[in-house]
Amino acid sequence: ILQIWLDSELICLEITRWVICGLIGFLTGLIACMIDIAVEKLAGYKYLAVKQNIEKYTELGGLSISLILWAVLNSAFVMLGSLAVAFLEPIAAGSGIPQIKCFLNGVKIPRVVRLKTLVIKVFGVICSVAGGLAVGKEGPMIHSGAVVAAGVSQGRSTSLKKDFKIFEYFRRDTEKRDFVSAGAAAGVSAAFGAPVGGVLFSLEEGASFWNQLLTWRIFFASMVSTFTLNFFLSIYHGKPGQLSSPGLINFGRFDSDVSSVFIVFRGVLGALFNIINYWLTIFRIRYIHRPCLQVMEAMLVAAVTATVSFAMIYFSNDCQPLGQDNTEEYPLQLFCADGEYNSMATAFFNTPERSVRSLFHNPPGTYNPVTLGVFTLAYFALAVWTYGLTVSAGVFIPSLLIGAAWGRLFGILLSFIIWADPGKYALIGAAAQLGGIVRMTLSLTVILVEATGNVTYGFPIMLVLMTAKIVGDYFIEGRSRIPGLQSVPFLHWDAPPTSHWLTAREVMSSPVTCFNRVEKVGRIVDVLSNTSTNHNGFPVVSDTTENDEPGKICGLILRSQLIVLLKHKVFVERASSRLSQRRLQLKDFRDAYPRFPPIQSIHVSQDERECMMDLTEFMNPTPYTVPQETSLPRVFKLFRALGLRHLVVVDNENRVVGLVTRKDLARYHVGKDGLEELHLAQT
């Protein structure tokens, strides 16, 4: 009977996991739909107002008024988004992908998956894209999906102080991490209409821990996310049931032969983007760290973007005929003849997603080489400056747009020698540029293939992505250097080559703060209150020796567990007295998760400080330990594969001699120059 009961409990838990993944996909798709509609409406109103103003003053003179209107509208949108991010939730800045990668890597980043962060992220990305910045809304969708997953899987909102009393079993780090992986995949799926690509993204770039059942649950969440976005957008566009909008960006169909697009693009531009942005990030950390300065910089970039865009359109003489099959949303005539439109405006006077599609699918002759060359240089500079601002924004679409522009330019130049379709070269160029910046291979190949709807492009896309990564890595590491600048102990896939001659003894922290099995309450409170150390994990040992050296390892207990024990006054004296005391349950720890109260909020009287606390029942009796002669690569693999935060180092007699933390390992991923840069950035 007991076995049947256990089996039924396990089946119910597994069904609940699938239900949660379905909810994650559904809510992520709804958020993507809302962002897409809001951006389309706001950007449409802005471009329509500016277009009418330009047409009015083209004949009357005074186009400077149109420029001012464009710059003011851009700055107003960006100011709202930047104010929300800088003053309400700074963790919502950027795409959020590095933070989610760190979370899945085993690093706890404060406020990264809160409801408030999600609200600010959604509002900020709408304002950023509508404000005309060189950013995209696809990257933030990954962060948004992760926040949705973290909230839904816990069955409550700590921000709203609302507990729905459901999914209580999943209130722990391991379960939450699995659901966040599903949320990140659902975000990718909603952004690009690529369910399989979303699963591979979580596998390649996100989760450090994986199993077969998790793969199917994540794929289910991705499919639900894509279907939800598709379904509601079809209703919005007045075509219910016509599932033709699988993601926030859809490259359209590429049906022609690919034999003419077999060419390898290099990742030099991607490496250059990362180098400039890396030093710009250091500059911002040093000098633009105040919220008011961050908002002013964002508004300045918005105004400069509008000014550069207007100047490029104004001085461009690339006029193209406005045919019946023209799909331009806001064609500008400006100084072109009647029945023609300014081709430069197609690239600048549009949302980045529409510009990418026009570069992919507009017929040959739509752009001349000078237009594309100037646009590539200008947009590259704007994108480098924009990425890293205190706004919610992604780098995927700017990268695709830059690559599509110079890819199409290459195709036009090649067509003077042999026949070539510039749109196909735009696709390959976009893949190469994006791969050179984000350094993804497997998942990005599948994402782009799913977005194009033609599997025959898989081989050339894979080839250019691998080449872009190899070339880019030769010059500089990818965007994974950013967590290091933010003092996040992010661990890469492999240990650095220089670590093979190091051992655990050389990297461990020593001496170690340990607790005895039965410890005095006053000492526990003093250790937890010591802000100079702020440790989160403590080895539990047998009684210390006469020389005050730690005894043999018995277990490991966390700061959060000790705080719960102090809060409920779990003292030996009270347990042995005749006074009735409620036995502490696992539910008490789950109810406190993930925001455990600070030690300063726990009141302990002077008499209680003299009491004793038995840690035996609550500690982890089998923590991971390694001998002090263990090689650093082996220590690194334990951390990376198991998501450890603390690893106890013992001697031959199983006595505690040190403790290895993530910070101890992360510093070995940075060379001497990098450590100097990191020190400068942090100071």
Side-chain angles (χ1 to χ4, degrees), residues 568-608:
H568 291 275
K569 312 293 184 183
V570 185
F571 304 148
V572 173
E573 290 76 7
R574 296 187 62 179
S576 59
S577 67
R578 296 182 179 179
L579 297 175
S580 61
Q581 182 185 22
R582 183 178 68 85
R583 183 176 178 82
L584 204 62
Q585 299 177 351
L586 186 60
K587 183 178 183 299
D588 296 309
F589 293 94
R590 289 174 178 169
D591 287 343
Y593 179 86
R595 298 190 196 177
F596 296 94
I599 185 60
Q600 291 77 13
S601 66
I602 306 297
H603 175 70
V604 179
S605 66
Q606 192 62 38
D607 291 338
E608 290 173 336

Side-chain angles (χ1 to χ4, degrees), residues 152-325:
V152 170
S153 64
Q154 304 303 291
R156 66 178 178 183
S157 171
T158 51
S159 298
L160 299 178
K161 295 181 173 57
K162 180 67 175 178
D163 193 340
F164 298 98
K165 303 297 182 181
I166 57 175
F167 308 145
E168 294 179 345
Y169 176 83
F170 305 111
R171 293 177 185 176
R172 48 181 175 161
D173 285 340
T174 52
E175 295 284 353
K176 186 176 182 179
R177 189 167 51 228
D178 288 347
F179 288 119
V180 169
S181 298
V188 173
S189 181
F192 296 96
V196 179
V199 176
L200 292 177
F201 174 85
S202 286
L203 174 60
E204 181 182 13
E205 290 293 315
S208 303
F209 329 96
W210 205 264
N211 59 62
Q212 189 174 11
L213 287 176
L214 180 62
T215 304
W216 285 108
R217 291 199 300 269
I218 290 179
F219 182 64
F220 176 65
S222 299
M223 290 294 296
V224 172
S225 176
T226 297
F227 176 79
T228 302
L229 176 64
N230 242 322
F231 179 75
F232 284 100
L233 282 183
S234 68
I235 296 176
Y236 170 72
H237 293 302
K239 301 175 181 178
Q242 184 176 340
L243 306 181
S244 57
S245 302
L248 295 181
I249 180 172
N250 182 17
F251 295 165
R253 294 290 175 180
F254 289 80
D255 297 323
S256 62
D257 183 24
V258 300
S259 59
S260 62
V261 302
F262 182 80
I263 190 168
V264 178
F265 284 87
R266 304 299 181 182
V268 177
L269 274 181
L272 180 62
F273 184 100
N274 287 333
I275 291 172
I276 299 174
N277 192 259
Y278 174 73
W279 288 106
L280 189 58
T281 301
I282 293 179
F283 177 83
R284 284 175 172 141
I285 294 174
R286 283 182 182 175
Y287 303 110
I288 314 179
H289 50 272
R290 295 181 180 178
C292 56
L293 295 177
Q294 294 170 344
V295 174
M296 291 174 62
E297 185 196 15
M299 294 176 62
L300 174 63
V301 174
V304 170
T305 301
T307 303
V308 170
S309 302
F310 186 86
M312 301 280 282
I313 296 171
Y314 183 86
F315 290 107
S316 174
N317 59 358
D318 185 5
C319 297
Q320 301 293 334
L322 188 61
Q324 294 182 352
D325 58 344

Side-chain angles (χ1 to χ4, degrees), residues 23-254:
L23 287 174
I24 291 170
F26 178 74
L27 294 176
T28 303
L30 280 182
I31 292 173
C33 183
M34 183 186 69
I35 291 175
D36 192 53
I37 294 174
V39 169
E40 183 177 332
K41 289 292 186 183
L42 291 176
Y45 292 145
K46 182 191 75 172
Y47 287 127
L48 188 60
V50 175
K51 180 177 183 295
Q52 292 174 348
N53 194 274
I54 290 177
E55 290 174 347
K56 175 182 177 182
Y57 286 102
T58 299
E59 297 180 359
L60 299 178
L63 279 173
S64 57
I65 298 176
S66 302
L67 170 59
I68 295 173
L69 174 64
W70 194 354
V72 168
L73 289 175
N74 273 13
S75 299
F77 279 122
V78 173
M79 180 187 69
L80 292 175
S82 183
L83 282 172
V85 171
F87 288 95
L88 298 180
E89 198 54 85
I91 197 67
S95 66
I97 296 177
Q99 288 80 4
I100 295 303
K101 286 176 62 176
C102 292
F103 182 89
L104 296 175
N105 192 252
V107 183
K108 279 193 173 181
I109 301 179
R111 306 183 309 277
V112 72
V113 288
R114 289 188 184 177
L115 177 62
K116 181 181 177 182
T117 302
L118 174 63
V119 174
I120 300 300
K121 173 73 74 173
V122 171
F123 176 76
V125 74
I126 291 173
C127 292
S128 301
V129 179
L133 292 177
V135 298
K137 55 183 182 288
E138 284 69 21
M141 273 309 306
I142 299 172
H143 190 183
S144 300
V147 179
V148 168
V152 170
S153 64
Q154 304 303 291
R156 66 178 178 183
S157 171
T158 51
S159 298
L160 299 178
K161 295 181 173 57
K162 180 67 175 178
D163 193 340
F164 298 98
K165 303 297 182 181
I166 57 175
F167 308 145
E168 294 179 345
Y169 176 83
F170 305 111
R171 293 177 185 176
R172 48 181 175 161
D173 285 340
T174 52
E175 295 284 353
K176 186 176 182 179
R177 189 167 51 228
D178 288 347
F179 288 119
V180 169
S181 298
V188 173
S189 181
F192 296 96
V196 179
V199 176
L200 292 177
F201 174 85
S202 286
L203 174 60
E204 181 182 13
E205 290 293 315
S208 303
F209 329 96
W210 205 264
N211 59 62
Q212 189 174 11
L213 287 176
L214 180 62
T215 304
W216 285 108
R217 291 199 300 269
I218 290 179
F219 182 64
F220 176 65
S222 299
M223 290 294 296
V224 172
S225 176
T226 297
F227 176 79
T228 302
L229 176 64
N230 242 322
F231 179 75
F232 284 100
L233 282 183
S234 68
I235 296 176
Y236 170 72
H237 293 302
K239 301 175 181 178
Q242 184 176 340
L243 306 181
S244 57
S245 302
L248 295 181
I249 180 172
N250 182 17
F251 295 165
R253 294 290 175 180
F254 289 80

